[in-house]
Each structure stands twice: as C-alpha cells, then as structure tokens.
C-alpha cells in the first residue's frame, strides 16, 4: 500500500430526518511519510469530516481508508481507540490540555493509553515527557498548570503531547487559530522542525500564511480539487 | 487513573467539599443510628442475664420486668411448694415502677420486693458494695442498683428519702455489663412487705422467681410448671429473648428505614454532583477519548473520583461518630462521659465501610456510563 494515509472513494453521508447530506463525495487522498500537508477549504466543505476520519474519530459511510497497512474504515470503536493512541498525535485549535494536570502530566498522559509492551513504566513515561518538553522548549514550565501558561506555550505543550507516543503522523486542527501573529509564527516554525525530523504533519487551516513549504490540499463540496 | 482522579479531585475543591460533607453526614447519621441500635440491643439482651438460670412465674402475657403481672400471695406460696421449685432459693417478688422517680435517661426507679435472705434470686452475680442480704436489717433497708444510687447520690450506710419514704442503704450493686444500664441498675431491692406497703399492693406479688430444684433442668421445670399452670406464663431466658427480639425487630425495621432513606439521599446527592462533574468535563473527556483513552479508563476515572470523595467523607464521618454519640449522651443527661474515648462497635464499623464503598461506587456508575456515551467528535466541539 502506497502512502502513509490513503483514502479511496470516501463518502460520508448524514441523515437529517428524510434528507441525506453528503459531507464527503467520493474523496481520494494520499499523504506520504514525512510530508507536511495543509488541508484548506471553506466552512462546510468537509474539512472537519475528513479530519475526523483520518484521525480515526469517525469512519466513512463508503470507501476505504488506510493508515499504514491498517484499514481503518472497517475498524470497531475499540480498534479505532487503539489507533488513536498508538498512531496519531492530535493538536487542537483550543489546545485541549487537561486543566487539573501539570504540563509534565499532560504530556505524560497519552503514554498511559498505550497497552502491552508499548506502555512504558512510570519512570520512563516521566523521562520521555521531559525529553519532549525539552524539544519544544518548555523545560522550565514542566510543573505549571496549563492555566498559568500563555496561548503559545499551551500549544507547545499540545505539540509535545502529540509527539510523545512517536505517532505515525500528527493531525493539527487549526493549531494557530487561537494565537497571535508571533505565537503563530513560532508554532508553525516548531511544526516544521518536527516535520524536518521525519514526522508527518497533516494540518487543517484557514490561514494561508501558515501554509508555506507545505503541500496544500484544497477541499470543496466534499472532494479534493487539486 | 487513580492519581489523575486525585488531581482532578484536588482541582475542584468546592465540588469535592460538597460531596465530602454529603458522605460525612450520611455516615455520621447511619453510624449514630446503628450505634444507638447496637447499644439498645446490648442493653436489652443484657437484661437476659437477670433471667438467666431461673424462671419467672407470672400472669399470662407479661414480659420482663413483670410490672403488669399481679398474683396473690397464696398462689405464690402454692408455686413455691411445687416439686419443680427449689424453695430455699426461690422467692415471691413484687416489681413496681416508682412514680416520680424518672432518671435523667428517662427510666423510672424499679422497686423489687422479695423475701429477705433470697436476694440472690434477683441480684445473682452482681457485685455488691456493702451488704447483699436484707436479713437482720431494718424494715426500710434497701440494696440499690448503680443508676438508682447515682440518682439519689446514695452511699452505703446513709439514709435517703424517696417520695417521702426513708430508706437505709445497706448495699449498692456495681453497674452490670459495659453497655447501657439494665433494669437491675435502676432497681431498689427491699423486703417484700415493705414493697407491698409502698406500692399499696398488700398481699400481692408480680411474680415468683423460681430456681429449679436439683432434679429438674430449666427446660424440664418450665415444661412441667406450664403443664400445671396452663393459664400462667413461665418466662425463661429463651422467652425473654423472644420478647426482646420481637420488640427489637420493630425498632430495627424503623431504624433501617431511616438508614435506607439517608443512604439513598446520599447516593442521589453524590450522583447528582458527579453528573455535574461529567457535564463540566465533557470537553476533557472528549479530548481524552480523542487521544486514545479507552472507555474503561474514563469509567475508572469517574468512579475513582467518586470513591475518593466517598472515602474521605466517610472517614471523617466515622471519626465524628463517637464524639457526636457522646454529645447525645450528655444532652440526654448521662454523666461521666469520656469525650476522649473512641468506640465504634466492630460490626457497625464494617457496615459503615461497606456503605462508604457502595456509595462511592454506585454514585459514580451512572455518571461514568454517561461519560462513556459522549462522542469524542461532539465533545471536542463542546464549549
């Protein structure tokens, strides 16, 4: 199977009473290992639906979706949960850090979701969390609660959290949507650094300025146009 | 997940405090009610010791103490002359509650009149300070139970006045058992004729306290006497126990209904708070689910949080039971309460630990189930 993420003929249909709404209409997509892909499109174009599918939060009504060699379009909820834990790193627009946990605990948290041999012990989890926080430049903020951090710092924590399980790719949903210009530049720079180290990044964005040096996929009416 | 639950718990102090207070009050109330029930059972069962090894011959349908039983002395003498009865040790006795003598705990002083020289038939194993026999003593000599002595601040050798009558205290019994005072503790043992005079019941008695003769066991003497006197009751320890159990069962039902009510209110209260928690945490739960947290782990997180609050509230409740119980005793007029003492009957403690565990688990179950139904996609959109 070519491509790290490969979707063939993806349809997503929602039923509203008797009306059927097609969010995706036979969409094809391929993202290769090591790429930085930006998905752009207007509201209601199907961006979020596609993101949910690639992120294993949803499955297509029709079509096939592969992540690596695994066909996720037919997976059960339990298998999708495992995929999200092991293979995908999420970055959200509103950071979505757990407010009661310190920065270190937030970054350590995804490692608890691994199972079997993949799950490190407590000492190794903390060690790995500290390594990743060093990578995003937040060593001095490790014991802070998220509420004490700036927006840019919170998004850095979210990036560290996304990286901590060494996922196959990072899925960023408008990661700079809540940040000022300076923080936006820093986060995009950091995402490029992460990408340069071999991590695949798939980013949904409205902001054209954040898409330099990326492959842009434009989505409209449930299909990719370029 | 337990450590995450604990951090969550610490982060939401006001909500946690509400739950803790709820469980604390629940445990405190249930614990106090059960403590009272336990002590009451102990007290009533303790009275069985007064009946142990002997039989009470009395009017049909009377319990213990046999206030309501009235027998004439001739019948008493007739019973004492039966072959089943050890005449040397058995005695006619008159039991009467002395009017206007309520102690602080609400019980009246009991006059127990019996034939001098046969006091052992009633006081049996009680240790007596002073004399334990009325033989050769003045007509107004009495042996007092511990609570009666406290009530009249009596000491051995002095003369006390009760309802305009003067009595010479020749002995004071030590308190029986470790629980609530028993009937014997409220008694004033005196000569039968004196008790008859005070109670205005000349030639009447309440009962014949029977020690079986050597050729009879308690059971065989009871059966044989019952056959001889079918219209009267022969009260044995087993009969007294049945009467006590019958009375206690109704109290138990009432107390358990109170317990069940407190228990259900407590579960509903904490469940409600936990539902609010789940609602508040919708986005967090969605985030956790999105980054791969299993449904089972989310469920554990909610139940652990509920258990932590339940255990903390429960432990505080348990610690407070003894002081509150002592305070209740003080308000009811008991003296000599040691506020530094801490005692909860082991059975009550086990009950409370089970209740704490059940409250913690059950009140977390429904919220945990609802948390699991949250779709991560919807939850991530939730603001």
């Amino acid at each position: 199977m070519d491509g790290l993420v490969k979707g063939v003929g993806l349809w997503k249909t929602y039923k509203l009473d008797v009306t059927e709404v097609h969010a995706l209409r036979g969409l094809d997509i391929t993202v290769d290992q090591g790429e930085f892909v930006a998905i752009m499109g207007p509201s209601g174009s199907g961006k979020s639906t596609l993101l949910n599918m690639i992120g294993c939060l949803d499955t297509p009504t029709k079509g096939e979706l592969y992540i690596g060699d695994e066909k996720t379009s037919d997976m059960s909820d339990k298998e999708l949960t495992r995929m999200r834990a092991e293979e995908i790193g999420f970055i959200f627009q509103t950071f979505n850090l757990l407010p009661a946990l310190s920065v270190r605990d937030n970054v350590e948290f995804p490692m608890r979701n691994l199972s079997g041999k993949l799950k490190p012990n407590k000492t190794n989890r903390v060690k790995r969390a500290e390594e990743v926080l060093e990578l995003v430049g937040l060593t001095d903020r490790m014991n802070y609660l998220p509420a004490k951090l700036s927006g840019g710092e919170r998004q850095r924590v979210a990036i560290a959290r996304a990286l901590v399980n060494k996922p196959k790719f990072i899925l960023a949903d408008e990661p700079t949507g809540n940040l000022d210009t300076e923080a936006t530049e820093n986060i995009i720079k950091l995402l490029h650094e992460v990408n340069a180290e071999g991590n695949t990044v798939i980013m949904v964005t409205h902001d054209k300025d954040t898409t330099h040096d990326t492959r842009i996929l434009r989505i409209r009416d449930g299909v990719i146009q370029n | 997940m337990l450590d995450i639950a604990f951090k969550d718990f610490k982060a939401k102090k006001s909500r946690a405090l509400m739950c803790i207070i709820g469980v604390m009050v629940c445990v405190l109330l249930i614990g106090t009610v059960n403590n009272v029930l336990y002590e009451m059972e102990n007290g009533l069962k303790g009275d069985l010791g007064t009946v142990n090894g002997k039989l009470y011959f009395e009017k049909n349908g009377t319990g213990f103490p046999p206030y309501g039983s009235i027998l004439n002395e001739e019948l008493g003498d007739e019973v004492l002359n039966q072959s089943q009865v050890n005449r040397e040790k058995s005695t006619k006795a008159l039991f009467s509650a002395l009017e206007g003598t309520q102690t602080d705990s609400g019980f009246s002083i009991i006059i127990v009149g019996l034939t001098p020289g046969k006091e052992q038939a009633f006081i049996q194993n009680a240790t007596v300070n002073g004399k334990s026999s009325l033989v050769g003593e003045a007509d107004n000599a009495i042996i007092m139970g511990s609570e009666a002595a406290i009530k009249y601040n009596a000491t051995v050798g002095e003369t006390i006045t009760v309802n305009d009558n003067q009595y010479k205290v020749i002995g004071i019994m030590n308190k029986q058992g470790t629980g609530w005072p028993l009937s014997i503790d409220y008694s004033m043992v005196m000569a039968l004729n004196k008790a008859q005079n005070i109670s205005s019941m000349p030639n009447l008695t309440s009962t014949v306290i029977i020690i079986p003769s050597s050729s009879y066991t308690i059971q065989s003497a009871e059966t044989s006497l019952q056959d001889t006197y079918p219209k009267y009751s022969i009260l044995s320890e087993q009969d007294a126990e049945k009467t006590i159990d019958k009375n206690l069962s109704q109290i138990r039902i009432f107390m358990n209904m109170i317990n069940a009510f407190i228990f259900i209110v407590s579960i509903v209260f904490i469940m409600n708070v936990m539902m609010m928690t789940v609602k508040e945490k919708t986005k967090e739960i969605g985030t956790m689910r999105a980054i791969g947290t299993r449904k089972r782990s989310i469920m554990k997180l909610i139940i652990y949080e509920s258990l932590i609050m339940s255990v903390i509230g429960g432990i505080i409740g348990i610690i407070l039971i003894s002081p509150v119980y002592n305070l209740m005793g003080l308000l009811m007029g008991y003296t000599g309460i040691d506020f530094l003492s801490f005692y909860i009957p082991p059975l009550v403690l086990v009950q409370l630990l089970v209740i704490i565990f059940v409250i913690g688990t059950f009140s977390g179950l429904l919220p945990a189930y609802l948390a699991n139904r949250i779709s991560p996609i919807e939850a991530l959109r939730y603001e």
Side-chain angles (χ1 to χ4, degrees), chain B residues 305-319:
Chain B
E305 207 174 323
S306 160
L307 264 175
I308 288 170
M309 290 188 283
S310 183
V311 167
I312 294 176
I315 289 172
I316 297 173
I318 288 175
I319 291 170

Side-chain angles (χ1 to χ4, degrees), chain A residues 85-103:
Chain A
E86 292 175 7
E87 316 287 9
I88 306 167
F90 284 89
I91 302 169
F92 303 97
Q93 181 180 351
T94 50
F95 325 122
N96 291 33
L97 300 176
L98 303 177
L101 304 188
S102 68
V103 165

Side-chain angles (χ1 to χ4, degrees), chain A residues 95-111 129 133 142 144-146 157-158 160-162 164, chain B residues 4 287 291:
Chain A
F95 325 122
N96 291 33
L97 300 176
L98 303 177
L101 304 188
S102 68
V103 165
R104 186 196 282 109
D105 289 341
N106 260 288
V107 176
E108 186 234 315
F109 187 82
M111 288 185 275
L133 280 167
M142 282 195 292
Y144 282 44
L145 287 175
V157 178
R161 183 177 67 181
V164 80
Chain B
I4 302 282
T287 305
I291 63 176

